[in-house]
Amino acid sequence: MKRVYFTLTLMSLFGGLNAFADVKQGGVVYDKMPDGSCIVVNYDDATMPADGIVTIAATININGTDCPVTGILGGENYTATDNNYDNGKYNVEGENTTYNRAAFANCKKITGLKFEKDSKVTWIGDHAFRFCTNLKTIENIPSVLDDIQGWCFEGTALESVDLSNTNVTIMKDGVFYNNTSLTSIQLPNKLENFWDNAFYGCKALNNIVMPSTVVGIYNNVFEGCTSLSNVKLNEVCTTLGHHVFKNCPLAEVTFPNSLNSIGEYAFESTKLNTVDLSNTQITSLPNGSFYNCEQLSDVKLPKALTNICDRAFYNSTIASITFPPSLEKIGAWAFYKARLANVVIPTTCRTIEQGAFSDNANLTTVVINGLECYLAYQAFCNCSKLTDVYITSKEAPVVERYGFPFDNDPKVHVMKDYVGTFSGLKTSENYNPCNTTNFDSNLPLILSKEWTTFTSAYNLDFSSVEGLTAYTAKYNKDNDAVALTSVKKVAAHTGLILKGEAGQTYTLPILASDADGLDAVTDNQLVDCVDAVWSSSRNKDYFLSNGKFVNSTNAGWALPGKSFLYISSGRANQSESPLRVYVDNTATAINGITNNPVVKDEAYYNLQGVKVQRPQHGVFIHNGKKVVLK
């Protein structure tokens, strides 16, 4: 927020009126205002209490009239001028007077500030107690106080402040700037915004309880609060400014769903371990958002995120991350020195800037689903373990799309019809802009379990791969079961279930972008996850987990490269038992999925898995076996 100074002007009254002298009481100087109230304008060394505790009176008697004290003068170099009002407020009655500083600015004698009971002070001006380096306590803060101006308590020795019962709605610029002894503060219950630098450098501040009304926390508010380890942001908070928690030892932050903006370097050099932004409204993570968060290992990105800007997660320890399908750009050095092992770039992503994934020592596999994604210079440099890059785009490759992103000659897997095109790409200097010489049209695949889900952005051929079978799936409501049908040549973006040997490497031929002879797949209820898919249909989404089809209990990402079963009308039997599975319309239990033998079932089913009430002649399924009734 822009600094806002509280400018006061003093009015002199002439034309036969008697001049009024300032009233001095208990080390405080008061002056009268035209509306009959008075304000604190200065302090008086001669009458300052010996213990340095200054009491602000509730009323001051002036010429026999009790005048309520309503404010404390702020700002510097305010001079009385004829009939010069500041919006008709806070103009002092008296002779031409120059106040060279705010009321108590630079006062070294004050050790405590106390307000009399029933105080009517509603405002404290800017810089009013600036550099009162021995001011440690404030007592009886009036509940009617609604305005504390910028830099009011800058550089004081305050240790604890209770503003909870005041009407203050804004912590203004630098209000407690560099209060190095401040350990705790009870914030106003009606607080809505923190303006810039409000608690900058309060290195002893160790806890902040945010009122439920806080909407915005702007630039540098808690920067340098080197004891602040925990902050909970409440549900109405929408905005976090630049450098807002820079250099705080934050180990945990709760991010509300309402949050829609984070400023540059907002969490630089914090000690966050986890960051969950998945339900926030954020669409862009600006430069350095989580810069140099060396302990940050787990990040969940916003569902609608479009941009990850330069150095957003620079020098983190993130080992895995799921990019939302809305992502369009990853900025320069965004994941520099992270610990990612695998990266899947979404279809909509158009740009990966210089050094975005540089120096990821654990990175082995990169999948580029972006249809026309530009890979900038050194985007994946110094990734010594990077062996396989998958460029899945059906768009023909062009020189302008690649700017020497690799430096260790990884194998690049592409559509069959593009192998020659990629190999032949040349810049004006006759260099291949991919900076690699190794292109092929094969997809090596290792199954983690005997049965697993799978989706690819390539057209694939399973027909000649021994020991590996691909299936589509369809739910049959009548017998509460899933039928699997094997497929051979599969179009891109087809959700599949694979059966093979766990740990075995299979090599699948990648077909051409316009391949012929692909299986006509109908009624497949497996959702393809070429990009990550957000699952929130808890009674309709089923995932293969520990060998069973289980219902989704929590909203979250279905990972790219996987698939899940979607039953549009819900499951007929809502029990928690695993779904019965049929392979090629034969009632053979998949032990890897159900982990149970076929449950004895006296009912008869036709070969389509439909229960038959009175079977007579034909081939049926009975107790898990084919039977022929004559």
Side-chain angles (χ1 to χ4, degrees):
M1 302 293 294
K2 183 185 294 184
R3 288 189 179 185
V4 179
Y5 290 100
F6 191 52
T7 303
L8 304 179
T9 58
L10 305 179
M11 182 187 73
S12 61
L13 299 178
F14 296 102
L17 291 179
N18 292 325
F20 169 71
D22 298 335
V23 173
K24 300 175 181 179
Q25 179 176 301
V28 183
V29 181
Y30 301 89
D31 249 354
K32 189 178 180 181
M33 297 173 63
D35 64 0
S37 66
C38 67
I39 64 172
V40 176
V41 296
N42 209 332
Y43 68 89
D44 178 44
D45 278 333
T47 59
M48 182 75 69
D51 60 2
I53 298 176
V54 171
T55 301
I56 305 298
T59 60
I60 290 294
N61 188 279
I62 300 175
N63 294 336
T65 302
D66 287 336
C67 302
V69 179
T70 59
I72 301 175
L73 184 67
E76 298 180 352
N77 299 317
Y78 298 117
T79 304
T81 56
D82 286 353
N83 301 313
N84 190 351
Y85 288 82
D86 181 18
N87 294 323
K89 296 176 65 178
Y90 312 145
N91 297 299
V92 177
E93 180 180 346
E95 296 178 322
N96 281 355
T97 307
T98 298
Y99 296 105
N100 293 316
R101 50 169 169 69
F104 286 90
N106 299 297
C107 179
K108 308 303 181 187
K109 290 187 176 182
I110 185 172
T111 61
L113 177 65
K114 182 186 293 186
F115 292 87
E116 278 189 353
K117 185 180 178 181
D118 297 326
S119 172
K120 300 298 187 295
V121 171
T122 61
W123 59 271
I124 304 175
D126 60 279
H127 303 84
F129 295 91
R130 185 187 190 193
F131 298 151
C132 291
T133 53
N134 293 307
L135 175 59
K136 294 183 178 181
T137 61
I138 305 178
E139 299 179 53
N140 300 333
I141 298 176
S143 59
V144 294
L145 182 68
D146 60 21
D147 191 6
I148 305 175
Q149 288 290 325
W151 313 94
C152 180
F153 295 101
E154 177 186 353
T156 69
L158 288 170
E159 297 173 352
S160 179
V161 177
D162 184 357
L163 297 171
S164 57
N165 292 319
T166 69
N167 291 318
V168 173
T169 59
I170 301 172
M171 289 280 98
K172 294 191 174 176
D173 293 347
V175 62
F176 291 99
Y177 184 92
N178 207 30
N179 274 230
T180 57
S181 299
L182 186 66
T183 60
S184 66
I185 183 164
Q186 291 178 262
L187 295 168
N189 292 327
K190 300 177 182 179
L191 186 65
E192 297 176 0
N193 288 288
F194 295 82
W195 286 2
D196 299 354
N197 300 290
F199 291 90
Y200 181 102
C202 295
K203 63 183 182 181
L205 188 63
N206 55 41
N207 186 38
I208 286 287
V209 177
M210 294 288 176
S212 61
T213 51
V214 173
V215 175
I217 306 174
Y218 292 93
N219 304 330
N220 312 89
V221 168
F222 295 106
E223 180 177 348
C225 293
T226 53
S227 298
L228 189 60
S229 60
N230 187 292
V231 171
K232 182 177 181 180
L233 304 175
N234 291 303
E235 199 51 48
V236 298
C237 185
T238 63
T239 305
L240 298 177
H242 304 318
H243 305 92
V244 62
F245 293 107
K246 180 179 178 180
N247 293 328
C248 294
L250 287 178
E252 184 179 356
V253 174
T254 302
F255 296 94
N257 295 354
S258 55
L259 190 65
N260 60 36
S261 176
I262 290 179
E264 293 186 353
Y265 297 90
F267 293 91
E268 177 184 346
S269 298
T270 60
K271 294 184 178 181
L272 291 171
N273 299 114
T274 63
V275 168
D276 187 354
L277 299 168
S278 54
N279 290 311
T280 68
Q281 310 306 308
I282 294 169
T283 58
S284 181
L285 289 175
N287 295 341
S289 309
F290 297 91
Y291 180 91
N292 204 35
C293 292
E294 296 181 351
Q295 299 179 33
L296 182 58
S297 59
D298 183 15
V299 172
K300 294 179 176 63
L301 296 173
K303 294 194 293 290
L305 188 68
T306 59
N307 290 298
I308 300 174
C309 296
D310 298 353
R311 296 175 172 82
F313 296 97
Y314 184 101
N315 198 28
S316 71
T317 58
I318 301 171
S320 65
I321 196 164
T322 301
F323 294 118
S326 54
L327 188 66
E328 298 175 0
K329 180 181 177 181
I330 300 175
W333 316 103
F335 292 93
Y336 172 78
K337 278 194 173 181
R339 299 181 185 177
L340 296 168
N342 303 288
V343 170
V344 180
I345 305 300
T347 304
T348 55
C349 188
R350 301 184 64 86
T351 305
I352 300 176
E353 294 285 8
Q354 180 178 356
F357 295 92
S358 173
D359 291 74
N360 272 240
N362 297 333
L363 189 61
T364 61
T365 304
V366 174
V367 179
I368 310 291
N369 287 328
L371 294 177
E372 296 181 350
C373 188
Y374 171 67
L375 306 183
Y377 179 62
Q378 296 184 331
F380 297 93
C381 73
N382 296 327
C383 299
S384 59
K385 294 182 181 179
L386 181 59
T387 56
D388 293 277
V389 177
Y390 300 87
I391 299 178
T392 69
S393 175
K394 290 185 178 181
E395 300 293 325
V398 294
V399 170
E400 293 76 16
R401 208 174 294 155
Y402 306 99
F404 302 93
F406 312 112
D407 64 354
N408 67 331
D409 200 31
K411 182 175 288 187
V412 179
H413 308 269
V414 299
M415 296 282 187
K416 183 177 181 180
D417 46 333
Y418 291 150
V419 173
T421 310
F422 270 101
S423 299
L425 291 177
K426 294 292 185 292
T427 66
S428 57
E429 292 82 12
N430 210 33
Y431 296 114
N432 188 304
C434 286
N435 206 31
T436 187
T437 60
N438 201 352
F439 298 93
D440 75 6
S441 58
N442 292 309
L443 173 65
L445 183 64
I446 302 176
L447 269 61
S448 59
K449 298 180 180 178
E450 181 184 7
W451 292 89
T452 188
T453 63
F454 179 73
T455 307
S456 176
Y458 295 120
N459 300 322
L460 295 174
D461 185 359
F462 289 86
S463 61
S464 60
V465 183
E466 186 176 350
L468 181 67
T469 308
Y471 299 93
T472 57
K474 180 183 178 181
Y475 174 69
N476 186 297
K477 186 174 183 179
D478 292 334
N479 60 4
D480 190 36
V482 176
L484 304 186
T485 303
S486 63
V487 287
K488 301 297 183 181
K489 292 186 177 181
V490 182
H493 294 264
T494 301
L496 298 170
I497 294 175
L498 302 183
K499 180 185 184 297
E501 183 179 343
Q504 176 71 33
T505 300
Y506 299 94
T507 301
L508 295 167
I510 300 172
L511 303 176
S513 57
D514 57 352
D516 295 326
L518 300 176
D519 289 8
V521 175
T522 58
D523 297 329
N524 183 25
Q525 290 178 288
L526 291 169
V527 177
D528 80 85
C529 301
V530 165
D531 298 332
V533 175
W534 185 260
S535 168
S536 58
S537 301
R538 297 191 179 100
N539 64 333
K540 298 179 180 180
D541 294 348
Y542 286 79
F543 293 84
L544 199 59
S545 175
N546 296 321
K548 300 177 182 180
F549 271 120
V550 295
N551 193 217
S552 172
T553 56
N554 296 300
W557 290 113
L559 297 177
K562 297 293 186 178
S563 67
F564 63 92
L565 185 70
Y566 176 70
I567 303 175
S568 60
S569 57
R571 187 179 174 185
N573 178 6
Q574 292 298 328
S575 69
E576 295 182 357
S577 61
L579 288 167
R580 189 195 310 272
V581 178
Y582 294 83
V583 179
D584 292 326
N585 293 321
T586 300
T588 303
I590 300 175
N591 291 332
I593 291 181
T594 65
N595 285 328
N596 291 305
V598 177
V599 178
K600 187 174 182 180
D601 186 351
E602 297 299 333
Y604 287 83
Y605 299 88
N606 63 23
L607 295 183
Q608 286 69 47
V610 178
K611 190 173 183 178
V612 180
Q613 297 295 330
R614 296 182 178 84
Q616 296 182 7
H617 304 291
V619 181
F620 298 92
I621 307 299
H622 181 60
N623 287 333
K625 297 181 180 179
K626 282 186 179 180
V627 295
V628 179
L629 299 182
K630 296 182 180 179

